[in-house]
Amino acid sequence: MVRRRVASFGYAFQGVWSALKTEVHLQFHAAATVVVLGLGLYLGLARWEWVAVVVAIGAVWSAELVNTAVETLVNLVSPGYHPLAGRAKDVAAGAVLVMAVAALAVGLLIFGPKLWALLA
């Protein structure tokens, strides 16, 4: 039982790593994550600010991974063009866009005033 649970974490990490190696958008999100975490450390975010930033990062990564899974599955079951396959892929990509815009709003609300104060 424990061995299967541990193995399932391994498969999950393999999935993240596989997507990270092949998906340009996820690589962009990874780079943005490093920048945001570094900036948060530099600016000394409060605990509640870290919570918002970490939740936003996790949500964007999750949306991107689900989008990758949807695109992969759609490509498997519909290798040729089909309007419904295209719609499924577009909707999944739209979910990533919505979450990324929400994460950007979180970033602007948290980092904006701190960066503005440094520049002023």
Side-chain angles (χ1 to χ4, degrees):
M1 177 75 160
V2 172
R3 184 175 273 167
R4 282 188 295 186
R5 296 287 180 212
V6 171
S8 69
F9 279 103
Y11 298 137
F13 284 118
Q14 281 179 322
V16 172
W17 183 247
S18 172
L20 191 54
K21 288 190 305 189
T22 60
E23 298 298 318
V24 174
H25 291 109
L26 196 57
Q27 293 167 1
F28 171 79
H29 293 304
T33 296
V34 170
V35 169
V36 167
L37 294 177
L39 191 58
L41 289 170
Y42 176 76
L43 294 174
L45 297 183
R47 182 172 291 157
W48 74 268
E49 292 170 321
W50 276 116
V51 169
V53 167
V54 168
V55 168
I57 289 170
V60 170
W61 274 71
S62 295
E64 190 65 60
L65 289 167
V66 169
N67 179 51
T68 299
V70 167
E71 287 183 355
T72 302
L73 187 59
V74 167
N75 290 342
L76 175 67
V77 299
S78 182
Y81 176 77
H82 190 284
L84 291 177
R87 183 170 180 220
K89 290 168 103 173
D90 291 346
V91 170
V96 176
L97 177 64
V98 168
M99 194 61 250
V101 169
L104 178 62
V106 169
L108 289 174
L109 289 168
I110 291 174
F111 291 103
K114 294 176 184 306
L115 292 173
W116 186 257
L118 286 177
L119 296 174

